[in-house]
Amino acid sequence: MKHFLLLFITSFTILCSSQTKQNNINKLSSTAKIWGFLKYYHPKVAKGEIDWDKELLDILPLVQNSKNKKELSKIYINWITSLGEIEICENCTLVDNENYFGKNFDLDWIKDTNQFSQELIEKLKFIEKNRFQGDHHYISAIEGIGNLIINNEKEYPSYNWEDQNLRLLTLFRYWNYIEYFFPYKYQMDKDWDTVLEESVLNFLSPSTETAYHLALLELFSNTNDTHALFYTDLTNKYFKSYAIPGKSKIINNKVVLTQLLNNESETNNEWKIGDVILEVNGKKIKSILKNIDKYIHGSNSSAKLRNAASKIYSGEGDSLKIKFERNGKTSIKKIKYKQFNKTTYKKEKWRIVDSNIGYINMGAITKNDVQKVLDTLINTKAIIFDIRNYPRGTMYIIANFLLEKPKEFVKALVPNLSYPGKFKWMSTISCGTNNPKAYKGKVIILVNEDTQSHGEFTTMVLQTAKKAVIIGSQTAGADGNVNHVTLPGDFYTYFTGIGIFYPDGRETQRIGIVPDIEVKPTIKGIKNGIDEVLEKAIEIAK
């Protein structure tokens, strides 16, 4: 009987503790939403008349000490009332019925009767209906482009990661950036509200500074956006970035060394291109990828595997045991973690390849070079444009060369800062000009997971050519100008700020640019120094 009673008391204590924790998470999550909503919608807050960070830091203790829905709603009501009266917005109804993109906007949470009292709900609905109009204190748009500029945020130069309230402020800021200004929120694998609740738990009590940095990394990665790059000295140390002096590609759960970062490694035979890493510290690559997946940013599996290739070396201590294969023989090597300097390689800009076929490296050729090169290649039977890299702004000059007349290639979504959370369509954009002497040969475009953002946009321009064929594999799926984010603690990250679509409405985010002919490198090809994607392009050109 005593054992049963002890078990009952223990189970009851655990249940109560779990419920208390969940209640606290729910309260903080609702505070994040209301704080962000008022920041972008309430006229006085949006004008910058109130120290909005301080307001949050002041109200957090009240929120966490509240005992029930009624008490919490009263705290929010008093908070809103203290901000002053809101005038009726005569202009707000004029933009209510504009041609908005319908998949992203969601303020249904303000009507949640399970969390909020009816009085609070009515106040929030009134603020939405009479939201701020004009020059916003915290946000503006890049002129002529439309993506976001984040303004007037406190930087906290003496930021202390152990301060729970500052950690929550960091989370709330970022969560609301995505909530209102990320055009692809609707495409995420996880519901963004669920991410908020999970992140609150991660941010409340990280065990170490590294754990906090990993919580940030996990938060950013949940956007499923290849632009969401984030690293710090502590995350680099955790993943032992550049543990091996080379670039790698993950193929069939094996890590293949594709390029060496310094000549010394090749000279002393430590590592060779084509070496295949099978295990790290006794763990198979597939298992490692599963464990670190939540920390890897990327719009799709191709981008995530690209970004994971340098992060498979995580582990305790300052050394690693690596099992690898070379020329059919398996060996184990113990290496010490250290940073390596990247090698600078001279990139060829263009050349004539087999059978009067032109090749242009879009990551190397510049605006100053391109017209001369195109004039040289005008009589070739085909030109291969290699965009497995980051191009240098030459797309419109090349389009003038390829197209007989202008052609639409893209339409874009930009945030409507008069109604945060809503996005509006821009006019469809065309490329090319009237050119009766346009290029008559085949146009072949090479892409892979390194084709990202401006690379994907460039591909969309070039594929408007009559005889265009895209060869390769799935691109990074992050096409559109980025929003730059600086968070307390001097942390930097990014997210895609403009929605990019084909003129017929097809999406590019996460999907990427779909190749007409799929060709992926193989381990055998890498070992033998064969560019199988380029080989296929030459075959098609012939």
Side-chain angles (χ1 to χ4, degrees):
M1 185 65 180
K2 287 182 179 178
H3 291 297
F4 175 78
L5 186 59
L6 180 61
L7 181 62
F8 174 79
I9 292 171
T10 303
S11 300
F12 182 75
T13 303
I14 292 171
L15 178 62
C16 289
S17 175
S18 176
Q19 287 177 340
T20 301
K21 181 183 290 186
Q22 186 58 50
N23 287 338
N24 197 35
I25 290 170
N26 291 343
K27 290 187 292 186
L28 290 170
S29 297
S30 66
T31 304
K33 293 176 184 180
I34 288 178
W35 180 76
F37 173 77
L38 295 175
K39 180 177 183 178
Y40 297 120
Y41 276 70
H42 195 289
K44 287 199 173 182
V45 180
K47 286 178 184 176
E49 295 178 1
I50 299 167
D51 186 337
W52 201 232
D53 282 5
K54 184 178 183 301
E55 289 283 330
L56 175 64
L57 299 178
D58 287 344
I59 205 170
L60 281 174
L62 300 177
V63 168
Q64 290 179 292
N65 290 328
S66 64
K67 296 180 176 61
N68 51 50
K69 179 183 83 171
K70 183 178 178 181
E71 192 173 313
L72 182 60
S73 289
K74 192 62 178 174
I75 290 169
Y76 293 144
I77 289 167
N78 291 340
W79 191 20
I80 293 169
T81 302
S82 72
L83 301 177
E85 293 293 324
I86 297 175
E87 295 180 5
I88 299 296
C89 176
E90 302 291 348
N91 296 327
C92 290
T93 53
L94 298 177
V95 295
D96 282 348
N97 299 314
E98 286 188 13
N99 183 26
Y100 292 115
F101 179 73
K103 294 183 180 180
N104 222 32
F105 183 72
D106 182 13
L107 282 179
D108 284 348
W109 60 267
I110 69 176
K111 305 167 190 172
D112 186 356
T113 55
N114 291 321
Q115 288 205 62
F116 305 138
S117 68
Q118 192 60 43
E119 183 184 358
L120 175 59
I121 290 171
E122 292 305 318
K123 274 189 173 291
L124 295 173
K125 287 164 67 176
F126 180 82
I127 293 170
E128 179 192 359
K129 189 176 180 180
N130 299 283
R131 63 196 170 275
F132 175 74
Q133 303 291 290
D135 294 332
H136 204 289
H137 182 70
Y138 292 107
I139 50 173
S140 58
I142 296 177
E143 189 173 350
I145 300 175
N147 60 304
L148 195 70
I149 302 174
I150 297 170
N151 302 315
N152 299 313
E153 297 282 26
K154 286 186 177 181
E155 295 182 0
Y156 298 93
S158 57
Y159 182 87
N160 179 5
W161 76 271
E162 293 180 294
D163 187 323
Q164 183 183 97
N165 284 351
L166 285 179
R167 292 197 305 268
L168 291 173
L169 168 65
T170 302
L171 167 61
F172 293 3
R173 256 198 213 175
Y174 179 80
W175 187 88
N176 281 290
Y177 292 153
I178 299 299
E179 173 74 359
Y180 291 103
F181 308 113
F182 183 43
Y184 299 115
K185 187 181 68 169
Y186 71 97
Q187 285 188 336
M188 292 181 193
D189 289 340
K190 277 187 182 179
D191 179 77
W192 194 231
D193 290 351
T194 302
V195 172
L196 175 59
E197 292 182 9
E198 292 176 353
S199 299
V200 166
L201 185 59
N202 290 340
F203 277 65
L204 275 174
S205 52
S207 55
T208 63
E209 189 173 6
T210 296
Y212 174 53
H213 287 211
L214 292 174
L216 285 164
L217 182 56
E218 182 178 350
L219 170 65
F220 305 151
S221 298
N222 270 316
T223 59
N224 303 122
D225 183 12
T226 309
H227 278 139
L229 176 68
F230 176 72
Y231 61 88
T232 67
D233 289 343
L234 288 178
T235 60
N236 282 344
K237 186 175 181 181
Y238 179 82
F239 291 112
K240 296 181 170 57
S241 298
Y242 306 127
I244 289 179
K247 291 184 177 180
S248 306
K249 185 181 286 286
I250 297 174
I251 301 175
N252 298 330
N253 293 313
K254 296 177 181 178
V255 180
V256 187
L257 196 63
T258 60
Q259 183 181 344
L260 297 174
L261 295 183
N262 59 17
N263 295 325
E264 183 182 351
S265 298
E266 194 169 28
T267 302
N268 61 28
N269 202 36
E270 185 176 4
W271 295 104
K272 286 187 175 294
I273 292 174
D275 283 350
V276 180
I277 296 169
L278 306 173
E279 296 179 6
V280 176
N281 283 347
K283 295 180 181 178
K284 295 185 182 298
I285 301 303
K286 184 177 181 179
S287 174
I288 295 170
L289 290 175
K290 184 178 179 180
N291 289 335
I292 67 173
D293 181 70
K294 64 182 178 180
Y295 300 128
I296 308 301
H297 72 287
S299 301
N300 51 45
S301 59
S302 299
K304 290 194 74 166
L305 286 175
R306 180 197 78 185
N307 295 332
S310 64
K311 289 185 169 64
I312 64 162
Y313 307 107
S314 57
E316 300 296 327
D318 62 353
S319 63
L320 301 163
K321 276 202 314 183
I322 295 182
K323 183 178 182 180
F324 69 101
E325 181 185 291
R326 180 186 295 171
N327 299 327
K329 294 182 179 179
T330 301
S331 305
I332 294 178
K333 184 182 295 187
K334 187 173 183 179
I335 65 169
K336 289 209 166 191
Y337 163 68
K338 62 178 180 178
Q339 293 277 357
F340 296 93
N341 294 322
K342 292 185 179 181
T343 304
T344 301
Y345 295 92
K346 188 176 180 180
K347 301 175 183 176
E348 67 170 348
K349 294 183 178 181
W350 71 284
R351 71 176 190 269
I352 300 287
V353 295
D354 190 26
S355 302
N356 196 28
I357 300 164
Y359 169 87
I360 296 178
N361 181 344
M362 293 292 285
I365 197 165
T366 68
K367 290 181 180 179
N368 292 332
D369 306 317
V370 68
Q371 192 59 58
K372 182 179 179 181
V373 171
L374 292 173
D375 290 343
T376 304
L377 299 178
I378 185 68
N379 294 316
T380 55
K381 66 180 348 181
I383 302 177
I384 299 169
F385 295 92
D386 193 344
I387 316 183
R388 297 172 295 175
N389 46 48
Y390 198 84
R392 305 180 70 177
T394 55
M395 57 193 176
Y396 290 125
I397 302 173
I398 295 172
N400 293 341
F401 172 81
L402 296 178
L403 301 179
E404 293 178 348
K405 58 183 179 180
K407 194 167 183 180
E408 293 181 342
F409 75 98
V410 69
K411 65 176 182 178
L413 279 177
V414 296
N416 182 358
L417 303 189
S418 296
Y419 208 146
K422 292 198 173 187
F423 289 78
K424 56 188 178 182
W425 291 107
M426 302 291 283
S427 299
T428 305
I429 303 172
S430 297
C431 60
T433 187
N434 291 313
N435 179 14
K437 297 181 179 180
Y439 182 67
K440 299 297 189 289
K442 291 180 181 177
V443 174
I444 301 174
I445 305 162
L446 309 187
V447 299
N448 67 0
E449 67 277 6
D450 292 320
T451 310
Q452 177 176 326
S453 194
H454 184 60
E456 292 171 299
F457 197 78
T458 300
T459 304
M460 292 174 73
V461 170
L462 301 193
Q463 74 178 141
T464 59
K466 270 186 182 178
K467 299 179 181 180
V469 178
I470 301 176
I471 299 176
S473 54
Q474 185 179 39
T475 63
D479 190 355
N481 294 55
V482 298
N483 293 335
H484 297 251
V485 176
T486 303
L487 293 167
D490 205 26
F491 295 119
Y492 297 89
T493 187
Y494 312 86
F495 64 90
T496 304
I498 293 179
I500 297 295
F501 297 75
Y502 284 100
D504 62 6
R506 281 177 295 149
E507 298 167 318
T508 61
Q509 184 78 3
R510 302 204 68 181
I511 298 166
I513 308 301
V514 180
D516 300 301
I517 301 171
E518 186 177 64
V519 181
K520 294 182 178 181
T522 63
I523 294 175
K524 181 179 178 181
I526 292 169
K527 284 182 177 179
N528 294 328
I530 298 172
D531 186 340
E532 291 152 305
V533 180
L534 180 57
E535 293 288 311
K536 184 65 174 179
I538 294 170
E539 177 190 326
I540 296 297
K542 289 181 179 180

